[in-house]
Amino acid sequence: MAACGGILMAAGEASAQETVVVEESVYSVENVDCKDIYSPGSWRNNWYIQLGAGIRSPFVENSRIKGDDSRHMTAVYNLAVGRWISPYLGFRFSAYYGSMHWNHGTTVSARTANLNVDFMWDMFNSIGGYRPNRVFSIVPYVGLGGTFVYRFRPNTGNDMDHDGKVKSNQWLLPVSAGLQLRFRVSPYVDIFAEGRGTFYGDNFNNTVYGKPVDIDISAVGGVIIHFTGSKFQRYNPCDYINALNAANAQVNDLRGALATTSAALAAAEAQLPCPEVTEATVVENDVTILPTVRFKLNSAYVSSEEMVNVYTISEYMKANPDAKIVVRGYADKNTGTAAYNMKLSERRAQAVADILTGDYGISADRLTLEAAGSDTQIYPTNDWNRIVIFATPE
């Protein structure tokens, strides 16, 4: 009867309180741009160095007099340091050094040192979407820079200084444009080939007449070394909206549980006077019902919709610091061989464990990874078995 009195007292208190109403609110993604957004994260990420060599040819006055055309081709050397500030845009400081030859009755030569600031656009990532392992890319670019031309041999130009003498060197501010073809060898190494056109005023070759623009054409190839590989942090605003919707669904579940509890309390009040209560035997159960993580066909990628379940299990383990769990992966037996499905289920379990340890700080020694493959199907519908389940150790 004491227990009955306690129930009635709790019922009276609950009846005296105001009913708490939780308003349902669903966030829609209809008016939100769900495209992935990437940022380089740390300023240390996505720097690279470029080393190259090739040929160049100046297109200047008297450059095509009949004779040995090969004297117009000379070697050029390239060194650049740059950074990608997104998967689509980057910049670099690119230096070129070499000699150039052209005909002016006799062969005329000079040496040049050039430094440019190039603004680069990854066309394939912009059009086809960012893929860190893309093998081939086309990168157009434009540049602004400075060039020092010196050691004219012979100095037969007609560009005079203030003393009426032919200039022995030239300082110029060119603009340039080019196209780079980039081939990925590894996350840290690319092979490239690129062509560049650099546009000068009429005094590039120390000679002023004829066409108002002198052009220097170069083609170089070499290697690009990425110091950190391709590291961009992904952000998608719809991920947060989906998480809010999942949290809202849990709130609605709690509302339903509250309504069920209220109905049970009302039923208890209706049973007055209370019958004698016999003490029940409590049976402990060592199996905890935990969430599952679902996967798409032939995938071990944890989608944003399933991240809420990984987050839930991490919170459970933080709230129970002595708890240990089994992370067990499964696969659909209707797709793939048994051997392949065993590997796939192992990758799925590992992907979930990596998020728990890497993103949420759960100690790896509290996790036991198991791969069940497709020999065991815990659900009657096959595509339901593309999952990772959490279980308590036996």
Side-chain angles (χ1 to χ4, degrees):
M1 292 301 294
C4 182
I7 294 175
L8 293 178
M9 183 178 295
E13 292 177 354
S15 300
Q17 294 178 359
E18 294 182 359
T19 303
V20 178
V21 178
V22 181
E23 295 184 359
E24 182 176 358
S25 129
V26 177
Y27 300 87
S28 173
V29 299
E30 293 180 357
N31 298 321
V32 178
D33 188 353
C34 291
K35 292 182 179 179
D36 290 338
I37 301 171
Y38 296 91
S39 66
S42 170
W43 65 269
R44 298 180 181 88
N45 292 339
N46 301 302
W47 286 93
Y48 64 88
I49 186 171
Q50 173 180 309
L51 302 172
I55 58 174
R56 57 105 63 88
S57 178
F59 288 77
V60 296
E61 293 86 0
N62 293 317
S63 64
R64 301 298 292 176
I65 294 176
K66 291 182 179 179
D68 184 6
D69 289 342
S70 65
R71 70 178 77 177
H72 298 298
M73 296 291 183
T74 54
V76 64
Y77 306 96
N78 170 235
L79 170 66
V81 176
R83 184 188 186 217
W84 288 99
I85 59 177
S86 77
Y88 322 107
L89 298 174
F91 68 90
R92 69 179 180 185
F93 300 96
S94 186
Y96 293 83
Y97 172 78
S99 62
M100 63 178 182
H101 295 171
W102 70 97
N103 289 346
H104 194 92
T106 59
T107 300
V108 182
S109 66
R111 293 188 180 181
T112 66
N114 169 257
L115 177 65
N116 295 281
V117 179
D118 296 330
F119 303 93
M120 313 185 73
W121 174 53
D122 192 311
M123 184 168 64
F124 279 20
N125 277 347
S126 298
I127 297 175
Y130 169 58
R131 294 210 313 266
N133 298 322
R134 189 185 299 280
V135 175
F136 174 68
S137 294
I138 296 179
V139 182
Y141 61 87
V142 294
L144 301 173
T147 300
F148 181 56
V149 188
Y150 63 103
R151 195 176 292 183
F152 291 94
R153 296 289 188 273
N155 196 359
T156 57
N158 64 359
D159 193 7
M160 305 297 181
D161 59 19
H162 295 296
D163 297 328
K165 297 179 180 180
V166 177
K167 290 182 178 179
S168 60
N169 57 67
Q170 294 280 359
W171 286 97
L172 304 167
L173 298 175
V175 296
S176 59
L179 192 70
Q180 182 183 84
L181 307 180
R182 191 176 63 203
F183 301 85
R184 175 61 50 89
V185 177
S186 76
Y188 298 94
V189 178
D190 293 345
I191 295 174
F192 78 92
E194 69 176 75
R196 184 186 201 106
T198 307
F199 304 90
Y200 297 90
D202 195 24
N203 55 345
F204 176 53
N205 61 336
N206 222 21
T207 301
V208 181
Y209 74 90
K211 296 181 180 179
V213 177
D214 291 340
I215 305 174
D216 185 28
I217 301 295
S218 62
V220 299
V223 63
I224 299 174
I225 301 173
H226 300 268
F227 297 119
T228 61
S230 179
K231 285 190 176 181
F232 292 101
Q233 295 180 350
R234 172 188 171 277
Y235 164 74
N236 192 314
C238 294
D239 291 347
Y240 296 90
I241 293 176
N242 292 334
L244 287 173
N245 286 337
N248 186 72
Q250 292 181 348
V251 169
N252 290 333
D253 290 341
L254 292 174
R255 291 178 63 202
L258 180 61
T260 301
T261 303
S262 299
L265 181 60
E269 291 178 339
Q271 292 179 4
L272 293 175
C274 286
E276 293 293 333
V277 178
T278 58
E279 185 174 351
T281 302
V282 178
V283 180
E284 295 185 356
N285 188 352
D286 61 352
V287 178
T288 305
I289 299 177
L290 301 175
T292 62
V293 179
R294 299 170 297 174
F295 293 85
K296 293 183 179 180
L297 177 65
N298 194 31
S299 172
Y301 172 73
V302 180
S303 66
S304 58
E305 291 82 0
E306 296 301 312
M307 280 295 292
V308 66
N309 293 323
V310 184
Y311 171 79
T312 299
I313 193 65
S314 71
E315 291 297 300
Y316 163 78
M317 298 196 72
K318 291 176 182 177
N320 299 273
D322 295 329
K324 295 185 177 182
I325 63 169
V326 176
V327 182
R328 185 179 299 127
Y330 289 86
D332 175 7
K333 71 177 181 179
N334 282 357
T335 56
T337 64
Y340 179 83
N341 287 338
M342 183 63 69
K343 292 290 185 181
L344 178 59
S345 66
E346 180 180 354
R347 288 192 286 117
R348 286 170 173 169
Q350 187 65 56
V352 173
D354 288 344
I355 296 173
L356 286 172
T357 57
D359 293 356
Y360 298 118
I362 304 302
S363 176
D365 59 11
R366 299 177 63 191
L367 307 177
T368 301
L369 274 63
E370 293 183 2
S374 58
D375 293 337
T376 301
Q377 302 284 274
I378 61 175
Y379 290 113
T381 302
N382 288 327
D383 58 4
W384 290 6
N385 293 286
R386 301 167 190 159
I387 60 169
V388 162
I389 68 169
F390 305 99
T392 55
E394 297 181 357

